[in-house]
C-alpha cells in the first residue's frame, strides 16, 4: 500500500493533478471527530506532519484522502 505521505506528495508535485479536487480527513483527538481540510490549504508536507496556516497535524492522524467523491487512500 502507498503511504499517506507519498500520496500527499504526488498530489503536491504532479502538474497533471488539480489540487482543488482533493480533501484530507484527519482525526481531531480533542473533539474525537473527523475534520475535513482542502488540500490547497496545506502549506507544507513532511514525513511526520502537514502544516496548515495556523497548526500542524501529525501524518498518523490522517484517516482518508478523497478526490471529489472517491476515496483514494484510507487508513
Amino acid at each position: 500500500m502507498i503511504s499517506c505521505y507519498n500520496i500527499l506528495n504526488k498530489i503536491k508535485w504532479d502538474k497533471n493533478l488539480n489540487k482543488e479536487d482533493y480533501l484530507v480527513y484527519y482525526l481531531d483527538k480533542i473533539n474525537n471527530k473527523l475534520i475535513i481540510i482542502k488540500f490547497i490549504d496545506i502549506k507544507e508536507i513532511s514525513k511526520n506532519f502537514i502544516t496548515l496556516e495556523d497548526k500542524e497535524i501529525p501524518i498518523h492522524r490522517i484517516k482518508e484522502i478523497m478526490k471529489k467523491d472517491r476515496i483514494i487512500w484510507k487508513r
Side-chain angles (χ1 to χ4, degrees):
M1 177 191 245
I2 298 174
S3 73
C4 176
Y5 171 77
N6 288 339
I7 296 276
L8 292 171
N9 270 303
K10 178 166 178 54
I11 297 166
K12 178 180 179 179
W13 296 108
D14 190 330
K15 303 286 188 220
N16 297 315
L17 298 177
N18 182 358
K19 279 91 178 124
E20 293 185 5
D21 289 345
Y22 294 88
L23 297 174
V24 176
Y25 291 71
Y26 74 92
L27 180 61
D28 178 335
K29 290 275 190 178
I30 295 168
N31 297 312
N32 197 31
K33 66 178 186 175
L34 284 180
I35 305 293
I36 303 167
I37 55 173
K38 296 175 185 175
F39 184 85
I40 57 173
D41 291 337
I42 297 172
K43 303 299 180 202
E44 188 175 329
I45 301 165
S46 73
K47 281 281 190 187
N48 297 313
F49 294 93
I50 58 172
T51 304
L52 306 177
E53 190 69 39
D54 58 346
K55 64 179 146 185
E56 286 188 324
I57 300 165
I59 289 280
H60 70 267
R61 289 211 190 135
I62 296 175
K63 299 300 179 188
E64 285 183 6
I65 301 171
M66 293 190 71
K67 179 179 182 183
K68 297 184 179 178
D69 293 333
R70 186 173 61 95
I71 296 171
I72 61 166
W73 184 87
K74 185 171 184 169
R75 180 181 323 266

